[in-house]
Amino acid sequence: MAEMQEHPVLIFDGVCELCSTSVNFILRWEKGHEIKFTANQNPPGRALLEQFGENPDEVSTIYFIEQGKIYKQSAAVLRIARRLRFPWFLGYGFIIVPRFIRDFFYKLIARNRYRLFGQKETCRIPTPDEMARFLLE
């Protein structure tokens, strides 16, 4: 079983513009400033995914590790929403929508994210102020 993480960790596709924009949004709106971030292309992200039995080469899914459990797709998004300030935490209310419906829409966006939002050549680089929030090596 995976060991308990001290902080929640968000694992995202580092070259996806939508994912990078989402990270910026979370950094701005998170209540407790506890979430750590890493791209699934970085060694810490890959290691965490392997630790939880997930494929580290699967870049079309966002992962959120919280209290020793891993969440993906819409469940990850909703878990993150709970940690945001008003009004964004209200998004957690979508938890009442059955997962198969939420994940259908998640997968639709994920499948088209590069075409709709773009893709970068390299992973997002944190600013000096953000460095403590990112797991890079």
Side-chain angles (χ1 to χ4, degrees), residues 11-19 38-42 45-46 49 54-63 72-73 106-107 109-114 119 123:
I11 304 170
F12 64 99
D13 178 359
V15 297
C16 168
E17 285 291 347
L18 174 61
C19 301
T38 189
N40 56 11
Q41 293 91 344
N42 291 339
R46 294 183 68 78
L49 290 172
E54 297 291 340
N55 179 359
D57 296 319
E58 176 54 56
V59 296
S60 66
T61 299
I62 188 173
Y63 297 92
K72 59 185 175 181
Q73 298 174 350
Y106 178 93
K107 291 173 188 175
I109 294 168
R111 211 174 17 250
N112 295 293
R113 72 191 185 283
Y114 293 151
Q119 182 178 9
C123 290

Side-chain angles (χ1 to χ4, degrees), residues 85-105:
R85 293 191 313 268
F86 183 82
W88 305 111
F89 71 83
L90 297 173
Y92 185 72
F94 283 101
I95 196 75
I96 65 170
V97 175
R99 185 176 183 151
F100 75 94
I101 295 172
R102 295 188 328 249
D103 283 349
F104 170 81
F105 288 103

Side-chain angles (χ1 to χ4, degrees), residues 19-67:
C19 301
S20 293
T21 300
S22 297
V23 167
N24 293 340
F25 182 85
I26 294 164
L27 285 165
R28 179 173 180 209
W29 288 98
E30 185 190 4
K31 282 186 270 192
H33 303 289
E34 296 176 339
I35 297 175
K36 300 287 186 178
F37 302 88
T38 189
N40 56 11
Q41 293 91 344
N42 291 339
R46 294 183 68 78
L48 283 167
L49 290 172
E50 288 173 354
Q51 180 181 342
F52 281 92
E54 297 291 340
N55 179 359
D57 296 319
E58 176 54 56
V59 296
S60 66
T61 299
I62 188 173
Y63 297 92
F64 189 62
I65 301 169
E66 181 180 49
Q67 297 180 348

